[in-house]
Amino acid sequence: MNDQAFTIDDHPVPFRRGESIMEAALLAGIYIPHLCFHPLLEPHGSCRLCTVEVNGKPLPACTTPAAAGLEVTNDTEALNQQRRTLLQLLFAEGNHCCPSCEKSGHCELQAMGYWLKMLDSPFPYLFPRRALDASHPAVLLDRDRCIFCERCVRASRELDGKEVFALAGRGLNTRLIVNSPSGRLGDSDLEASDHAARICPTGALLVRGEGFRTPIGKRPFDGKSLSETCLQRAAALLKEGKESER
Ligand code: FES
C-alpha cells in the first residue's frame, strides 16, 4: 500500500514511507537525471545532477525523503541548464574521449550528454594525468575517466562485502585509490563478477574482453535514451527490493 502522494511537475506521485523523491519518481515512471544514484546502493548525493525544486527550494532528489503534499519541479529548461553546466564541468575535468572509449554506447556519462543535449563545454579542459592501473588480469582502472561518484566504492562495501575502493586527496588531487598492500588493483581481492567492477557509469572501470562484445549500433544507449534505460532498470531493481522487504 502506498502511503500518500506528492506531485512532480503537477503529476501525482504515490510513495511509501522511507522512499526518496528519486525512488518514488522512478517507480512512477518519471525520470530525474542522475549519475551517482543507483537503485542498489545507498544514496550519496554527490553529483547533484538530480537537483529538483522542492516547494521552490533546490534539493537533491536522491537524498530528499518523499513527503505528502510536496510540490516538486523537475523537467524545466532552467534545471536542465544547471544540469548541463554540471555535466560540462565533469567532461572538462576528466579525459572523456568518447569516440575511442570502449565504453561508448554503454556509458551513462556519454548518454547523459546526449540526453541533456550538451554540444560543447565553455570550461577549459584540464586533461588530468592520473595513474592508470592495468595490473588486474580482468579489470582495467583508468582514473582519468573517474567522476568521483563513488558507485564502485559503495558497491564494493555494500554489495560485495569488500572494501576495494576509496577516494583520497582533495579538489583537483582527488583520486580513486585501491585497498591492497601495493595499492595496485591486481593485488586487491576485486573479481570481474563483483558489482564494483561493473557499476561504473563511465569508462573508468572496464571489465576486460567485454567492451567490443556488443557491436557499435547495438549497445544499450545506441537504440534507447538514457531516461528509457534508467527507468526500466530502476523499476525492475526497486520493485525487486520492495518485494524482498515484504
Ligand atoms: Fe542525486 Fe547524484 S544522483 S546527487
Side-chain angles (χ1 to χ4, degrees), residues 33 49 79-81 83-84 87 111-119:
L49 262 287
L79 284 168
N80 284 334
Q81 179 54 47
R83 292 164 178 153
R84 212 172 287 125
L87 195 65
M112 185 66 77
Y114 286 120
W115 198 86
L116 286 171
K117 299 185 172 59
M118 183 192 132
L119 298 176

PDB file of all heavy atoms in Angstrom, residues 33 49 79-81 83-84 87 111-119:
ATOM      1  N   PRO A  33      17.200  13.102 -13.927  1.00  0.00           N
ATOM      2  CA  PRO A  33      18.589  12.805 -14.296  1.00  0.00           C
ATOM      3  C   PRO A  33      19.457  12.515 -13.068  1.00  0.00           C
ATOM      4  O   PRO A  33      19.302  13.159 -12.029  1.00  0.00           O
ATOM      5  CB  PRO A  33      19.040  14.094 -15.009  1.00  0.00           C
ATOM      6  CG  PRO A  33      17.781  14.685 -15.541  1.00  0.00           C
ATOM      7  CD  PRO A  33      16.733  14.360 -14.513  1.00  0.00           C
ATOM      8  N   LEU A  49      23.307  16.092 -10.172  1.00  0.00           N
ATOM      9  CA  LEU A  49      22.533  16.108 -11.416  1.00  0.00           C
ATOM     10  C   LEU A  49      21.035  16.021 -11.115  1.00  0.00           C
ATOM     11  O   LEU A  49      20.209  16.455 -11.903  1.00  0.00           O
ATOM     12  CB  LEU A  49      22.930  14.904 -12.285  1.00  0.00           C
ATOM     13  CG  LEU A  49      23.939  15.063 -13.423  1.00  0.00           C
ATOM     14  CD1 LEU A  49      23.312  15.798 -14.591  1.00  0.00           C
ATOM     15  CD2 LEU A  49      25.198  15.749 -13.004  1.00  0.00           C
ATOM     16  N   LEU A  79      16.349  24.065 -14.826  1.00  0.00           N
ATOM     17  CA  LEU A  79      17.019  22.969 -14.109  1.00  0.00           C
ATOM     18  C   LEU A  79      17.901  22.163 -15.059  1.00  0.00           C
ATOM     19  O   LEU A  79      19.014  21.764 -14.709  1.00  0.00           O
ATOM     20  CB  LEU A  79      15.978  22.056 -13.439  1.00  0.00           C
ATOM     21  CG  LEU A  79      15.348  22.628 -12.166  1.00  0.00           C
ATOM     22  CD1 LEU A  79      14.146  21.799 -11.743  1.00  0.00           C
ATOM     23  CD2 LEU A  79      16.367  22.688 -11.039  1.00  0.00           C
ATOM     24  N   ASN A  80      17.418  21.939 -16.271  1.00  0.00           N
ATOM     25  CA  ASN A  80      18.242  21.177 -17.221  1.00  0.00           C
ATOM     26  C   ASN A  80      19.483  21.965 -17.639  1.00  0.00           C
ATOM     27  O   ASN A  80      20.526  21.373 -17.917  1.00  0.00           O
ATOM     28  CB  ASN A  80      17.410  20.761 -18.430  1.00  0.00           C
ATOM     29  CG  ASN A  80      16.484  19.597 -18.096  1.00  0.00           C
ATOM     30  OD1 ASN A  80      16.779  18.817 -17.194  1.00  0.00           O
ATOM     31  ND2 ASN A  80      15.366  19.489 -18.784  1.00  0.00           N
ATOM     32  N   GLN A  81      19.385  23.294 -17.647  1.00  0.00           N
ATOM     33  CA  GLN A  81      20.574  24.091 -17.957  1.00  0.00           C
ATOM     34  C   GLN A  81      21.608  23.961 -16.834  1.00  0.00           C
ATOM     35  O   GLN A  81      22.807  23.828 -17.086  1.00  0.00           O
ATOM     36  CB  GLN A  81      20.196  25.563 -18.185  1.00  0.00           C
ATOM     37  CG  GLN A  81      21.388  26.478 -18.498  1.00  0.00           C
ATOM     38  CD  GLN A  81      22.230  25.987 -19.675  1.00  0.00           C
ATOM     39  OE1 GLN A  81      21.694  25.624 -20.729  1.00  0.00           O
ATOM     40  NE2 GLN A  81      23.556  25.928 -19.486  1.00  0.00           N
ATOM     41  N   ARG A  83      21.919  21.374 -14.943  1.00  0.00           N
ATOM     42  CA  ARG A  83      22.463  20.012 -15.080  1.00  0.00           C
ATOM     43  C   ARG A  83      23.482  19.965 -16.211  1.00  0.00           C
ATOM     44  O   ARG A  83      24.516  19.298 -16.105  1.00  0.00           O
ATOM     45  CB  ARG A  83      21.322  19.031 -15.352  1.00  0.00           C
ATOM     46  CG  ARG A  83      20.389  18.866 -14.165  1.00  0.00           C
ATOM     47  CD  ARG A  83      19.083  18.222 -14.538  1.00  0.00           C
ATOM     48  NE  ARG A  83      18.222  18.042 -13.371  1.00  0.00           N
ATOM     49  CZ  ARG A  83      16.904  17.999 -13.411  1.00  0.00           C
ATOM     50  NH1 ARG A  83      16.256  18.108 -14.571  1.00  0.00           N
ATOM     51  NH2 ARG A  83      16.204  17.835 -12.311  1.00  0.00           N
ATOM     52  N   ARG A  84      23.191  20.670 -17.289  1.00  0.00           N
ATOM     53  CA  ARG A  84      24.128  20.716 -18.427  1.00  0.00           C
ATOM     54  C   ARG A  84      25.457  21.330 -17.989  1.00  0.00           C
ATOM     55  O   ARG A  84      26.527  20.857 -18.360  1.00  0.00           O
ATOM     56  CB  ARG A  84      23.498  21.556 -19.543  1.00  0.00           C
ATOM     57  CG  ARG A  84      23.864  21.126 -20.946  1.00  0.00           C
ATOM     58  CD  ARG A  84      23.051  21.885 -21.977  1.00  0.00           C
ATOM     59  NE  ARG A  84      21.675  21.456 -22.029  1.00  0.00           N
ATOM     60  CZ  ARG A  84      20.608  22.256 -21.890  1.00  0.00           C
ATOM     61  NH1 ARG A  84      20.741  23.545 -21.715  1.00  0.00           N
ATOM     62  NH2 ARG A  84      19.395  21.757 -21.937  1.00  0.00           N
ATOM     63  N   LEU A  87      27.399  18.881 -16.011  1.00  0.00           N
ATOM     64  CA  LEU A  87      27.925  17.852 -16.902  1.00  0.00           C
ATOM     65  C   LEU A  87      29.131  18.379 -17.689  1.00  0.00           C
ATOM     66  O   LEU A  87      30.131  17.676 -17.860  1.00  0.00           O
ATOM     67  CB  LEU A  87      26.811  17.423 -17.868  1.00  0.00           C
ATOM     68  CG  LEU A  87      27.045  16.134 -18.622  1.00  0.00           C
ATOM     69  CD1 LEU A  87      27.085  14.947 -17.667  1.00  0.00           C
ATOM     70  CD2 LEU A  87      25.939  15.912 -19.650  1.00  0.00           C
ATOM     71  N   ALA A 111      25.800   9.112 -22.389  1.00  0.00           N
ATOM     72  CA  ALA A 111      24.362   9.131 -22.671  1.00  0.00           C
ATOM     73  C   ALA A 111      23.702  10.355 -22.044  1.00  0.00           C
ATOM     74  O   ALA A 111      22.749  10.910 -22.592  1.00  0.00           O
ATOM     75  CB  ALA A 111      23.713   7.843 -22.157  1.00  0.00           C
ATOM     76  N   MET A 112      24.224  10.780 -20.874  1.00  0.00           N
ATOM     77  CA  MET A 112      23.676  11.988 -20.244  1.00  0.00           C
ATOM     78  C   MET A 112      23.962  13.208 -21.115  1.00  0.00           C
ATOM     79  O   MET A 112      23.146  14.130 -21.217  1.00  0.00           O
ATOM     80  CB  MET A 112      24.294  12.170 -18.850  1.00  0.00           C
ATOM     81  CG  MET A 112      23.712  13.316 -18.052  1.00  0.00           C
ATOM     82  SD  MET A 112      21.982  13.059 -17.608  1.00  0.00           S
ATOM     83  CE  MET A 112      22.155  11.906 -16.248  1.00  0.00           C
ATOM     84  N   GLY A 113      25.152  13.211 -21.747  1.00  0.00           N
ATOM     85  CA  GLY A 113      25.484  14.303 -22.668  1.00  0.00           C
ATOM     86  C   GLY A 113      24.470  14.406 -23.794  1.00  0.00           C
ATOM     87  O   GLY A 113      24.004  15.504 -24.140  1.00  0.00           O
ATOM     88  N   TYR A 114      24.111  13.256 -24.349  1.00  0.00           N
ATOM     89  CA  TYR A 114      23.092  13.266 -25.414  1.00  0.00           C
ATOM     90  C   TYR A 114      21.733  13.679 -24.850  1.00  0.00           C
ATOM     91  O   TYR A 114      21.006  14.453 -25.459  1.00  0.00           O
ATOM     92  CB  TYR A 114      22.975  11.877 -26.055  1.00  0.00           C
ATOM     93  CG  TYR A 114      24.139  11.528 -26.955  1.00  0.00           C
ATOM     94  CD1 TYR A 114      24.948  10.425 -26.696  1.00  0.00           C
ATOM     95  CD2 TYR A 114      24.427  12.297 -28.082  1.00  0.00           C
ATOM     96  CE1 TYR A 114      26.013  10.106 -27.522  1.00  0.00           C
ATOM     97  CE2 TYR A 114      25.488  11.982 -28.916  1.00  0.00           C
ATOM     98  CZ  TYR A 114      26.276  10.880 -28.626  1.00  0.00           C
ATOM     99  OH  TYR A 114      27.329  10.571 -29.452  1.00  0.00           O
ATOM    100  N   TRP A 115      21.407  13.138 -23.682  1.00  0.00           N
ATOM    101  CA  TRP A 115      20.075  13.388 -23.116  1.00  0.00           C
ATOM    102  C   TRP A 115      19.881  14.873 -22.815  1.00  0.00           C
ATOM    103  O   TRP A 115      18.813  15.436 -23.048  1.00  0.00           O
ATOM    104  CB  TRP A 115      19.865  12.553 -21.848  1.00  0.00           C
ATOM    105  CG  TRP A 115      18.421  12.431 -21.484  1.00  0.00           C
ATOM    106  CD1 TRP A 115      17.534  11.505 -21.942  1.00  0.00           C
ATOM    107  CD2 TRP A 115      17.678  13.292 -20.615  1.00  0.00           C
ATOM    108  NE1 TRP A 115      16.291  11.740 -21.413  1.00  0.00           N
ATOM    109  CE2 TRP A 115      16.347  12.829 -20.598  1.00  0.00           C
ATOM    110  CE3 TRP A 115      18.015  14.410 -19.858  1.00  0.00           C
ATOM    111  CZ2 TRP A 115      15.350  13.436 -19.839  1.00  0.00           C
ATOM    112  CZ3 TRP A 115      17.018  15.025 -19.108  1.00  0.00           C
ATOM    113  CH2 TRP A 115      15.708  14.531 -19.110  1.00  0.00           C
ATOM    114  N   LEU A 116      20.948  15.504 -22.292  1.00  0.00           N
ATOM    115  CA  LEU A 116      20.849  16.931 -21.944  1.00  0.00           C
ATOM    116  C   LEU A 116      21.222  17.836 -23.126  1.00  0.00           C
ATOM    117  O   LEU A 116      21.322  19.044 -22.968  1.00  0.00           O
ATOM    118  CB  LEU A 116      21.747  17.241 -20.740  1.00  0.00           C
ATOM    119  CG  LEU A 116      21.240  16.745 -19.388  1.00  0.00           C
ATOM    120  CD1 LEU A 116      22.308  16.916 -18.315  1.00  0.00           C
ATOM    121  CD2 LEU A 116      19.967  17.468 -18.965  1.00  0.00           C
ATOM    122  N   LYS A 117      21.476  17.210 -24.275  1.00  0.00           N
ATOM    123  CA  LYS A 117      21.817  17.968 -25.489  1.00  0.00           C
ATOM    124  C   LYS A 117      23.034  18.878 -25.249  1.00  0.00           C
ATOM    125  O   LYS A 117      23.041  20.048 -25.594  1.00  0.00           O
ATOM    126  CB  LYS A 117      20.624  18.799 -25.965  1.00  0.00           C
ATOM    127  CG  LYS A 117      19.416  17.948 -26.325  1.00  0.00           C
ATOM    128  CD  LYS A 117      18.297  18.798 -26.903  1.00  0.00           C
ATOM    129  CE  LYS A 117      17.161  17.965 -27.440  1.00  0.00           C
ATOM    130  NZ  LYS A 117      16.508  17.086 -26.484  1.00  0.00           N
ATOM    131  N   MET A 118      24.048  18.295 -24.623  1.00  0.00           N
ATOM    132  CA  MET A 118      25.291  19.031 -24.413  1.00  0.00           C
ATOM    133  C   MET A 118      26.108  18.988 -25.697  1.00  0.00           C
ATOM    134  O   MET A 118      26.442  17.906 -26.190  1.00  0.00           O
ATOM    135  CB  MET A 118      26.079  18.374 -23.270  1.00  0.00           C
ATOM    136  CG  MET A 118      27.348  19.098 -22.920  1.00  0.00           C
ATOM    137  SD  MET A 118      28.386  18.099 -21.833  1.00  0.00           S
ATOM    138  CE  MET A 118      29.936  18.279 -22.679  1.00  0.00           C
ATOM    139  N   LEU A 119      26.422  20.127 -26.255  1.00  0.00           N
ATOM    140  CA  LEU A 119      27.139  20.160 -27.530  1.00  0.00           C
ATOM    141  C   LEU A 119      28.614  20.489 -27.356  1.00  0.00           C
ATOM    142  O   LEU A 119      29.447  20.119 -28.181  1.00  0.00           O
ATOM    143  CB  LEU A 119      26.493  21.192 -28.467  1.00  0.00           C
ATOM    144  CG  LEU A 119      25.033  20.898 -28.844  1.00  0.00           C
ATOM    145  CD1 LEU A 119      24.465  22.028 -29.677  1.00  0.00           C
ATOM    146  CD2 LEU A 119      24.939  19.580 -29.609  1.00  0.00           C
TER     147      LEU A 119
END
